[in-house]
Amino acid sequence: MRKRIAILGSTGSIGTQALDIIKTHKDKFEVVALSAHKNIALLKEQMGDFKPEQVTITDTKCYNTFLKDNKYNITLNHGLDGLKEMISSIDIDIVLIAIVGVAALEIAHYILDQGIDIALANKECIVAGGELLISKAKDKGARIIPVDSEHSAIFQCLQGCEDDSDIKNIYLTASGGPFKDMDIDNLHNVTPAQALRHPNWDMGNKITIDSATLMNKGLEVIEAKWLFNLDIDRVKVVVHPQSIVHSMVEFIDNSIIANMGVPDMRLPILYAFTYPRRLDTDIELNLYEMGNLTFERPDMVKFPCLSLAYEAMRIGGSMPIALNAGNEIAVYKFLEGDIGFTTIPKMVEKAMNIHLRDLIHDPTLEQVLYIDKSIREQLV
Ligand code: MN
């Protein structure tokens, strides 16, 4: 029987790479549902290629446009309610969440509540609502399988580990981004075009900017803390510019297991779909031509976003929501040309300071969404 897969955010970077790898294994997978925000042209193409049972368009204007010439004989849903309707009305084995930003939280929570497994490519939702999602998955017996390459690596390194107490530290690798070797005094002049040029990975705009500020690694530290149930100070970051080692687990005997491969998101996406088994690919790492692998400490002075993430998680409670909201706003402002590169961490810090007086422990889903919204309003 083919695995029945739903892809939320099918027209984005992860969504298109997922469909690309699925295409090479059509005997194993069936795409039963797709969702897109605005890219209707590409969605139509995907509908033609994969024949899903239902699709959802989240943007209202685009949904209305699509309705006018819906010559496809399939159920078309609209918005967040439409996503929920789609998820609950068809038989689905696993949902790939490839939507950008904290907007994915509510639907992730809903999917787990239905007892359906998630392949999680969105880190913002687990940063803002980690406790909620982890406990919901536990309650309902649903799995959250990481797609983020570092977390997929850790997840793979931990296969066969029988007890969490055997883990000493985990090491998330970071490429260091395009400004790793730039003088700190020149960082304020950096343009969006320069920041969008990532050395190794092909990714969406939001995450590429996050990689340049190292906020991506900060969010990933928090994501790892939740996914692997570790104390934040046991989640370490090591800069590894070649992006061949995708992350490592250090055990209490000081032995380290690493996951290696070509930096290509199709590998962690495929593993999330096939876990605990594997399938063949042509994405091959040639060890003979690889050259040197290097590792170094991250520069938290030059890239304050990383230390802000550790700080937000140490404060705990609702603070990571403020960290994430502040960052999402700052990144979009930077991309629009409204603020400079070095103002991004300053805005994040401002968001955290604003939130300090309203800090709460164990926020509910409604409280997470409310805090996220109110911080955005205060920053604009
Ligand atoms: Mn990653």
Side-chain angles (χ1 to χ4, degrees), residues 253-272:
D253 61 357
N254 294 313
S255 174
I256 295 177
I257 296 185
N259 168 270
M260 293 167 63
V262 174
D264 187 318
M265 285 310 296
R266 290 173 301 169
L267 288 173
I269 293 167
L270 182 63
Y271 186 71

Side-chain angles (χ1 to χ4, degrees), residues 200-229:
N200 305 331
W201 293 94
D202 171 20
M203 304 179 293
N205 283 355
K206 157 75 168 54
I207 185 173
T208 306
I209 302 302
D210 284 346
S211 297
T213 62
L214 289 203
M215 180 57 94
N216 183 50
K217 215 47 56 179
L219 299 176
E220 288 180 354
V221 167
I222 299 173
E223 182 185 9
K225 180 252 162 339
W226 289 118
L227 286 175
F228 305 110
N229 187 28

Side-chain angles (χ1 to χ4, degrees), residues 123 148-150 220:
K123 65 197 78 181
D148 204 347
S149 63
E150 296 78 1
E220 288 180 354

Side-chain angles (χ1 to χ4, degrees), residues 81-367:
D81 289 336
L83 283 178
K84 291 181 179 174
E85 181 66 30
M86 179 170 81
I87 296 297
S88 58
S89 62
I90 36 186
D91 187 22
I92 298 171
D93 293 317
I94 189 165
V95 182
L96 172 63
I97 300 187
I99 297 171
V100 179
V102 78
L105 176 62
E106 209 173 335
I107 191 65
H109 191 263
Y110 180 84
I111 295 164
L112 293 171
D113 198 39
Q114 308 286 304
I116 301 170
D117 291 348
I118 283 178
L120 187 64
N122 170 293
K123 65 197 78 181
E124 291 89 348
C125 71
I126 203 154
V127 167
E131 185 127 57
L132 283 170
L133 295 182
I134 295 298
S135 64
K136 180 56 79 181
K138 216 178 210 169
D139 280 0
K140 299 289 175 172
R143 290 186 296 213
I144 303 174
I145 303 176
V147 168
D148 204 347
S149 63
E150 296 78 1
H151 305 76
S152 172
I154 300 293
F155 185 66
Q156 295 180 54
C157 292
L158 287 174
Q159 298 304 313
C161 172
E162 306 225 329
D163 199 304
D164 287 354
S165 64
D166 287 349
I167 304 168
K168 183 177 169 190
N169 290 304
I170 67 178
Y171 284 91
L172 300 178
T173 50
S175 70
F179 310 127
K180 185 177 87 68
D181 299 317
M182 185 181 273
D183 195 276
I184 189 168
D185 298 324
N186 294 329
L187 271 186
H188 67 277
N189 287 324
V190 155
T191 64
Q194 283 174 294
L196 285 171
R197 243 175 268 137
H198 193 276
N200 305 331
W201 293 94
D202 171 20
M203 304 179 293
N205 283 355
K206 157 75 168 54
I207 185 173
T208 306
I209 302 302
D210 284 346
S211 297
T213 62
L214 289 203
M215 180 57 94
N216 183 50
K217 215 47 56 179
L219 299 176
E220 288 180 354
V221 167
I222 299 173
E223 182 185 9
K225 180 252 162 339
W226 289 118
L227 286 175
F228 305 110
N229 187 28
L230 285 173
D231 187 85
I232 191 81
D233 292 305
R234 289 172 42 189
V235 184
K236 318 265 190 199
V237 172
V238 60
V239 174
H240 166 53
Q242 298 82 17
S243 298
I244 296 296
V245 173
H246 298 322
S247 279
M248 298 170 264
V249 179
E250 180 180 33
F251 294 92
I252 50 174
D253 61 357
N254 294 313
S255 174
I256 295 177
I257 296 185
N259 168 270
M260 293 167 63
V262 174
D264 187 318
M265 285 310 296
R266 290 173 301 169
L267 288 173
I269 293 167
L270 182 63
Y271 186 71
F273 291 157
T274 61
Y275 164 80
R277 297 290 308 274
R278 292 177 187 273
L279 280 175
D280 61 290
T281 74
D282 57 4
I283 309 162
E284 194 178 1
L285 179 65
N286 187 332
L287 289 169
Y288 300 109
E289 287 174 10
M290 193 169 62
N292 293 329
L293 300 182
T294 60
F295 301 94
E296 59 192 275
R297 233 176 250 288
D299 185 341
M300 299 220 208
V301 177
K302 198 160 124 185
F303 300 108
C305 283
L306 182 54
S307 57
L308 286 169
Y310 275 104
E311 195 188 326
M313 197 61 230
R314 283 193 195 104
I315 295 168
S318 53
M319 191 53 87
I321 310 167
L323 173 91
N324 181 67
N327 183 58
E328 282 192 30
I329 292 283
V331 169
Y332 291 119
K333 280 182 180 288
F334 172 68
L335 284 170
E336 295 288 311
D338 294 345
I339 64 169
F341 186 75
T342 46
T343 308
I344 296 174
K346 289 182 186 136
M347 268 192 100
V348 173
E349 199 171 4
K350 188 177 163 197
M352 288 171 62
N353 286 332
I354 289 173
H355 185 58
L356 205 51
R357 59 171 187 269
D358 303 321
L359 191 75
I360 53 169
H361 294 283
D362 302 327
T364 63
L365 179 62
E366 289 67 31
Q367 285 171 322

